[in-house]
Amino acid sequence: MEPNLHEFSDGTVLAEKLADQVAHRLAAAVEARGEASLAVSGGSTPKRFFRAIANRDIDWAKVTVTLVDERFVPADHPRSNHLLVRENLLQGKAAAARFIPLYHDRPSVEEAARVATAAANTITPPFDVVILGMGGDGHTASFFPHGSTLNQALDAAGPRSVLPMEADGAEEPRLTFSFSSLTDAGMLVLHIEGQSKKDVLAKAQEGTNETEMPIRAVLHRASSPVDIYWAP
Ligand SMILES: O=C(O)[C@H](O)[C@@H](O)[C@H](O)[C@H](O)COP(=O)(O)O
């Protein structure tokens, strides 16, 4: 299934439009089921989107927010995605949302992943909305090239779970939802900005080697349609 490319004049216009679409999807889920779920990425790109969605007028008390991946650092560490979400998304109206962290203070990232998997299993699958980013090396979530658990993480038949991941491209051990947890979302979005990311996307779309560019797994075999949101 070919991804749908949505291009915008700048990151602010993109953030507002994406926030409209995500809010609509979450509100519809709450209307239909009495609950909704949103899994977001960390990094620098999502910040404007977080601030835009935070004040959309939906029943946030019925929305569960989590992360597609997390650095294995405490929530007060500057590289924590939980910190990023707490400071930019779980504000205003969205402060009422339930947040499920991936980081847990355990002696190993493997033990933290087991605890995170149990906590994540309280979220009714599939996610209503998943927002992925992409690194310049073609990673997404914490599916890093040649990552320590990459084959397991990208296995479409694998269990819905949070896995530990270590890789040369990751500054610290990571916790990441598996491919099977993320790619059947009601709304599956890849949010990238800048020409260099667009060039990386084009290279990813041309090739097939997922170990080299794990984003290819999402682009080529996600069960949900992929909506790419891009601005210069
Ligand atoms: O924890 C993370 O870093 C993210 O989940 C990661 O997958 C991110 O989406 C890309 O690295 C892009 O990051 P930027 O938006 O900062 O380029």
Side-chain angles (χ1 to χ4, degrees):
M1 196 184 316
E2 275 298 299
N4 309 301
L5 179 59
H6 309 266
E7 297 192 339
F8 300 88
S9 53
D10 62 49
T12 301
V13 173
L14 183 157
E16 291 299 327
K17 184 64 179 172
L18 182 55
D20 288 343
Q21 297 297 316
V22 170
H24 176 75
R25 172 72 65 158
L26 293 175
V30 168
E31 177 71 24
R33 305 195 324 265
E35 61 177 15
S37 57
L38 166 64
V40 296
S41 286
S44 56
T45 303
K47 203 173 279 185
R48 272 183 293 217
F49 162 68
F50 288 167
R51 291 179 177 163
I53 190 77
N55 279 304
R56 288 303 191 271
D57 195 10
I58 62 175
D59 191 351
W60 282 102
K62 294 182 180 157
V63 178
T64 297
V65 177
T66 190
L67 287 158
V68 302
D69 70 329
E70 177 62 284
R71 295 82 183 268
F72 187 49
V73 295
D76 59 0
H77 189 285
R79 282 189 49 80
S80 165
N81 287 337
H82 182 175
L83 180 64
L84 178 79
V85 166
R86 187 169 65 218
E87 291 185 337
N88 296 279
L89 200 169
L90 302 175
Q91 297 287 328
K93 294 183 175 70
R98 173 172 78 124
F99 180 75
I100 303 279
L102 300 191
Y103 173 81
H104 295 274
D105 182 9
R106 293 296 185 278
S108 72
V109 63
E110 288 78 12
E111 285 181 63
R114 283 192 287 273
V115 175
T117 297
N121 285 340
T122 64
I123 304 169
T124 308
F127 286 119
D128 291 293
V129 179
V130 165
I131 311 284
L132 296 174
M134 185 186 69
D137 59 359
H139 82 261
T140 190
S142 282
F143 309 150
F144 282 89
H146 306 282
S148 56
T149 64
L150 187 63
N151 291 340
Q152 181 184 359
L154 294 184
D155 180 358
R160 294 178 190 272
S161 57
V162 177
L163 295 169
M165 184 69 71
E166 299 192 52
D168 293 344
E171 285 188 42
E172 60 281 290
R174 297 291 189 100
L175 295 151
T176 187
F177 271 103
S178 61
F179 178 89
S180 59
S181 305
L182 298 171
T183 53
D184 62 350
M187 177 182 182
L188 179 59
V189 174
L190 174 62
H191 174 195
I192 55 175
E193 296 185 12
Q195 187 57 48
S196 64
K197 292 278 183 79
K198 198 174 187 185
D199 296 343
V200 172
L201 174 68
K203 183 182 175 191
Q205 289 178 306
E206 285 155 14
T208 56
N209 186 316
E210 298 177 359
T211 303
E212 294 297 333
M213 297 188 83
I215 186 68
R216 286 171 170 154
V218 175
L219 296 170
H220 298 327
R221 54 186 178 90
S223 49
S224 295
V226 179
D227 284 304
I228 300 172
Y229 278 66
W230 180 81

